[in-house]
Every structure is written in structure tokens, then in C-alpha cells.
Amino acid sequence: MTHQCHTAIRRSVVAAAALALAAGPALAHHSFAMFDTAHPATMTGTVKQFDWTNPHAFLWVYADPKAGESPVLWSFETSNPGNLTRAGWTKTTFKPGDKVKIIYDPLRSGGPSGQLSKTTQLSTGKTYDLTPIPLPSDSAGGK
């Protein structure tokens, strides 16, 4: 093989590797089809923990039990920390023991999880809404 052939092959391999690496994050993101957005639900409970993580933060809540039942731990998917910050959230917005009211889109499977739309801290009445999430402002000063 000629030097030009080797160079062309190397360039092709490098280009293919770059494309594969760039596609990884896009392929890793999931659909929200697992949530039933046509039938939002409401629950109250006690915060176990708030995970401020990428690509989505999660709020873990023990649902207030019905008479004779044990509390069930629910997980609520939110947005990413950047969007949450623009919506007024911080990594300390929810603390273990906080009593909350949650409005969410439940899993279609019926499992104890959902996509959080809005939550209210019952002790303060403060509501944190994710519908719609504010878009980042234009850093060039535009709207």
C-alpha cells in the first residue's frame, strides 16, 4: 500500500471514531413515552432524598400510606440541573423529611415512579413548577 492509502485509511478510522463518540450521548438519552402525560396524578409524601445529577435530577418520596399500608418509596424524574436552576431550584431545595405535594405524569406500567410536573413544599406553600421550563437567556443580550 502507498503512503497516501495509509493516510486515507487512518483519516477514515479517526473520522469514524469521532462520529461514534459524538453519537454516544445522543443515543443514551431516553424517550419520555414511558410516562402517561394524558393522566396526571397527585400525591403527598415525605422526601427521602433529592439527587441533583445529570442528565436528570431525581426526587425520592415516601408516599403517605393509606390506612393499614406501609409507605412506598417513589422516584420522580425532573429536568437537568441547568434547567432546574433557571426554574428557581437549587440542590438544597428539598431536604429529607420535607412534606411535599407532587403533581406528576405516572409511569404507564403503574410502577411507583413518574415525571414530576410540579411540587409544593407543604411547610412553606412554595411551589416549584417544571411546566414550562424557562429557556436560557441569550448571552448576547437578545430575547
Side-chain angles (χ1 to χ4, degrees), residues 18-90:
L19 284 172
L21 288 173
L27 293 173
H29 199 125
H30 64 83
S31 163
F32 292 98
M34 65 187 161
F35 300 113
D36 185 356
T37 58
H39 299 96
T42 302
M43 66 166 285
T44 58
T46 305
V47 172
K48 178 185 183 224
Q49 68 189 55
F50 182 40
D51 295 333
W52 187 261
T53 57
N54 275 313
H56 301 278
F58 278 83
L59 183 61
W60 297 85
V61 176
Y62 282 109
D64 287 342
K66 295 178 180 153
E69 295 182 3
S70 298
V72 174
L73 182 61
W74 284 65
S75 65
F76 294 99
E77 184 170 348
T78 70
S79 189
N80 64 67
N83 285 341
L84 294 175
T85 299
R86 286 186 287 282
W89 299 43
T90 70

Side-chain angles (χ1 to χ4, degrees), residues 89-103:
W89 299 43
T90 70
K91 63 183 175 180
T92 60
T93 295
F94 300 102
K95 297 170 200 66
D98 285 351
K99 294 286 195 177
V100 292
K101 175 183 172 185
I102 307 276
I103 299 174

Side-chain angles (χ1 to χ4, degrees), residues 120-143:
T120 302
Q121 289 179 327
L122 297 179
S123 64
T124 65
K126 181 150 174 80
T127 296
Y128 295 88
D129 196 347
L130 290 180
T131 53
I133 294 173
L135 297 174
S137 62
D138 180 1
S139 61
K143 293 183 181 174

